[in-house]
Amino acid sequence: DSGVTQTPKHLITATGQRVTLRCSPRSGDLSVYWYQQSLDQGLQFLIQYYNGEERAKGNILERFSAQQFPDLHSELNLSSLELGDSALYFCASSVSGESRYEQYFGPGTRLTVT
Amino acid sequence: AQSVAQPEDQVNVAEGNPLTVKCTYSVSGNPYLFWYVQYPNRGLQFLLKYITGDNLVKGSYGFEAEFNKSQTSFHLKKPSALVSDSALYFCAAISTGSARQLTFGSGTQLTVLP
């Protein structure tokens, strides 16, 4: 168990809908990362937050947004969902925003868009 | 731009034999390098990392990796494979320079045959 929790575990929704994925980092970790894992794209970095502030942005669509709250949990919002958004979404946390620290991954949220 | 290549989608090895999972990277400047493992329906687990110093890095579960700067490689090794090592392995890299996001390889499925 990495100490990173993600809810829900599974999510099934229809095209055009909006969903929110939630992540709680390991105790003491200030940095949260979001990734998308799909068969065709592999593991793609979406966005990073450090202590409430956006730190880095990757291949995140404009329909997606995220935030990190004062208690350090984070939410990833996906809107106007398309079939191609079906994927496994991982949250990871690390003690610092610096790149030399390893990241600890949650179990993921499997999103299915029908 | 950063990139990580794992040239083998699949590696099969007999239990008790040594295993190698290959990784090459391209980053500007000096790299930080990581190996992660993913078991079915689980998040990624950190195995080991190279930051600086000794080119041979030892990690969890008896795994080690060798950093080779001239060949820009960071191959994962284990002297004696176990059936329980069967999983998906990801190599990841980040530049110690300005890039903040970790770039992952496409993953190598390791199967250890009893």
Side-chain angles (χ1 to χ4, degrees), chain A residues 1 33 35 37 43 45 48 55-59 88 90 97 99-108 110, chain B residues 32 34 36 38 41-46 49 51 88 90 94-97 99-106:
Chain A
D1 183 4
Y33 307 77
Y35 293 89
Q37 186 180 36
L43 196 60
F45 167 74
Q48 178 198 0
R55 188 77 173 251
K57 221 167 185 174
N59 300 321
L88 203 46
F90 287 111
S99 49
R100 68 178 182 271
Y101 292 99
E102 58 271 26
Q103 298 175 24
Y104 291 87
F105 283 74
R110 184 170 294 282
Chain B
Y32 294 143
F34 301 80
Y36 287 84
Q38 185 178 26
N41 301 313
R42 303 281 295 274
L44 278 70
Q45 257 178 265
F46 169 74
K49 66 180 178 183
I51 302 300
L88 188 55
F90 289 94
I94 188 168
S95 168
T96 59
R100 293 186 182 276
Q101 63 193 66
L102 203 53
T103 297
F104 284 85
S106 54

Side-chain angles (χ1 to χ4, degrees), chain A residues 31-61:
Chain A
S31 207
V32 168
Y33 307 77
W34 285 98
Y35 293 89
Q36 180 193 60
Q37 186 180 36
S38 61
L39 281 174
D40 53 342
Q41 299 280 338
L43 196 60
Q44 299 273 317
F45 167 74
L46 295 178
I47 197 164
Q48 178 198 0
Y49 278 82
Y50 175 74
N51 206 19
E53 302 280 331
E54 183 184 302
R55 188 77 173 251
K57 221 167 185 174
N59 300 321
I60 189 165
L61 300 171

Side-chain angles (χ1 to χ4, degrees), chain B residues 57-79:
Chain B
V57 178
K58 293 190 184 298
S60 308
Y61 313 119
F63 283 94
E64 57 190 29
E66 187 165 12
F67 171 62
N68 187 317
K69 189 171 183 177
S70 62
Q71 297 187 2
T72 62
S73 67
F74 188 56
H75 301 331
L76 181 70
K77 301 183 180 188
K78 188 174 182 183

